[in-house]
Amino acid sequence: MKSDCTVLKAVHHGISVLASSDKPQLEAEVLLAHYLNESRSWVAAHPETFLSETTLTSYNDSLQMRNGGEPLPYLLGYWEFFGIKFTVDKRALIPRPETEMIVEHSISIAGKHMNSRIVDIGTGCGAIAIALALNLPDSLVFASDISRDALSLARTNSLRHAVRNRIDFIQADLLNSMGKFDIICANPPYLTTQEACTLPVGKHEPRLALDGGPNGLNIVREIISTAGKHLNDGGSLLMEIGNSSSKILKMANYYFRSAECSVIPDLAGRPRMLKITT
């Protein structure tokens, strides 16, 4: 049954509901396109099309949830990372563009060698591991997470992109009981406990993947202090970091006295990734 609401009216309504958003029109159009099973360009090209009652109800419900802080990717059920669409839900963090740095550097390093062994620890939805499996067909990719739910989501995404038989999924606490690798990738929890409790991200995404302890360095320190015995000669650790880059670099130099340690900025110039090459 059709309603008396057109696409254009629905978009305008969405913009008013999402007025506090950074990009209310974009989000309104993306949500409406999602429930119409069409593209944003289709929405723009069909302003006078009437919506069904079912579509309108679903769209309005999603607007209210988004206005209440629910992340857009969770409402859509998918998000893009490194040009790849991933299923996302509350079992894992939403992949962010800045994390693509890890994939880019891993591809650059592994591309110089055959059969590189790569592990993505704390894999979440599997974004890093799957992007690497798709771009490095000769590499041996492993993905670990302490969360069984996150691993289930990662496996779903690996099936979606037909790389399930090329990734070994392991339930593990960081590098415990793991072997040796040429590249260790990690996007660990690096918010302080207070930040994880008070920032909007902590209200909707899994706390386990965000909370790095009182100073945000608990998991970072654990990875740096144990990574040496899990790296092959000439191997690299690539780890996303937040604040405290100077402390983290000092920590890296302490545990890797003869390695090359550096902090690489993201496109906005913020210290974003620790790179250690043995």
Side-chain angles (χ1 to χ4, degrees):
M1 181 177 177
K2 289 188 177 180
S3 69
D4 60 355
C5 182
T6 64
V7 165
L8 184 61
K9 287 181 180 178
V11 170
H12 286 167
H13 173 65
I15 292 171
S16 66
V17 173
L18 303 178
S20 60
S21 167
D22 291 337
K23 299 177 179 179
Q25 181 171 346
L26 182 147
E27 292 194 2
E29 291 175 350
V30 166
L31 283 170
L32 185 57
H34 173 65
Y35 289 108
L36 286 167
N37 198 28
E38 299 285 357
S39 65
R40 275 187 68 207
S41 59
W42 187 95
V43 168
H46 296 79
E48 300 306 320
T49 299
F50 287 94
L51 305 180
S52 70
E53 291 284 0
T54 301
T55 297
L56 184 59
T57 298
S58 297
Y59 173 64
N60 284 333
D61 288 346
S62 71
L63 289 175
Q64 294 306 317
M65 293 174 69
R66 180 70 188 111
N67 194 43
E70 186 74 9
L72 181 62
Y74 285 164
L75 290 171
L76 298 173
Y78 63 84
W79 204 239
E80 191 170 289
F81 175 84
F82 211 73
I84 306 161
K85 186 178 286 188
F86 289 90
T87 297
V88 293
D89 59 34
K90 291 181 179 294
R91 287 176 287 177
L93 284 183
I94 299 161
R96 265 71 172 182
E98 53 266 28
T99 308
E100 293 180 358
M101 287 181 64
I102 293 178
V103 178
E104 291 166 354
H105 282 260
S106 295
I107 291 173
S108 177
I109 295 168
K112 301 171 185 175
H113 310 280
M114 290 290 289
N115 303 319
S116 294
R117 287 173 57 87
I118 308 173
V119 63
D120 172 27
I121 56 176
T123 193
C125 72
I128 292 174
I130 292 167
L132 291 175
L134 287 169
N135 285 276
L136 296 169
D138 294 325
S139 293
L140 306 174
V141 181
F142 300 78
S144 73
D145 205 296
I146 195 172
S147 167
R148 185 172 297 176
D149 287 341
L151 282 174
S152 176
L153 178 59
R155 287 190 184 97
T156 297
N157 277 313
S158 71
L159 288 168
R160 176 176 185 167
H161 295 291
V163 291
R164 175 64 186 88
N165 64 340
R166 296 198 43 246
I167 302 174
D168 283 342
F169 291 96
I170 305 164
Q171 186 175 13
D173 184 4
L174 302 179
L175 289 164
N176 290 331
S177 303
M178 303 286 276
K180 285 199 168 187
F181 304 93
D182 298 300
I183 303 174
I184 297 174
C185 302
N187 179 17
Y190 53 72
L191 296 182
T192 66
T193 299
Q194 182 178 7
E195 288 171 336
C197 290
T198 57
L199 292 176
V201 64
K203 298 177 182 178
H204 299 279
E205 298 184 55
R207 189 73 56 84
L208 180 66
L210 295 167
D211 189 348
N215 61 4
L217 297 177
N218 284 8
I219 309 301
V220 170
R221 182 182 294 105
E222 176 71 13
I223 293 171
I224 293 174
S225 66
T226 59
K229 61 184 179 182
H230 294 282
L231 280 172
N232 290 325
D233 291 342
S236 297
L237 168 64
L238 304 172
M239 180 168 60
E240 184 171 322
I241 59 175
N243 298 324
S244 307
S245 59
S246 59
K247 290 182 180 178
I248 292 170
L249 186 57
K250 184 177 180 180
M251 192 186 303
N253 284 316
Y254 174 80
Y255 285 104
F256 289 85
R257 296 182 185 275
S258 59
E260 181 182 341
C261 305
S262 60
V263 171
I264 300 174
D266 59 21
L267 293 176
R270 293 184 293 266
R272 181 60 62 184
M273 188 183 77
L274 173 68
K275 181 180 181 181
I276 299 174
T277 303
T278 59

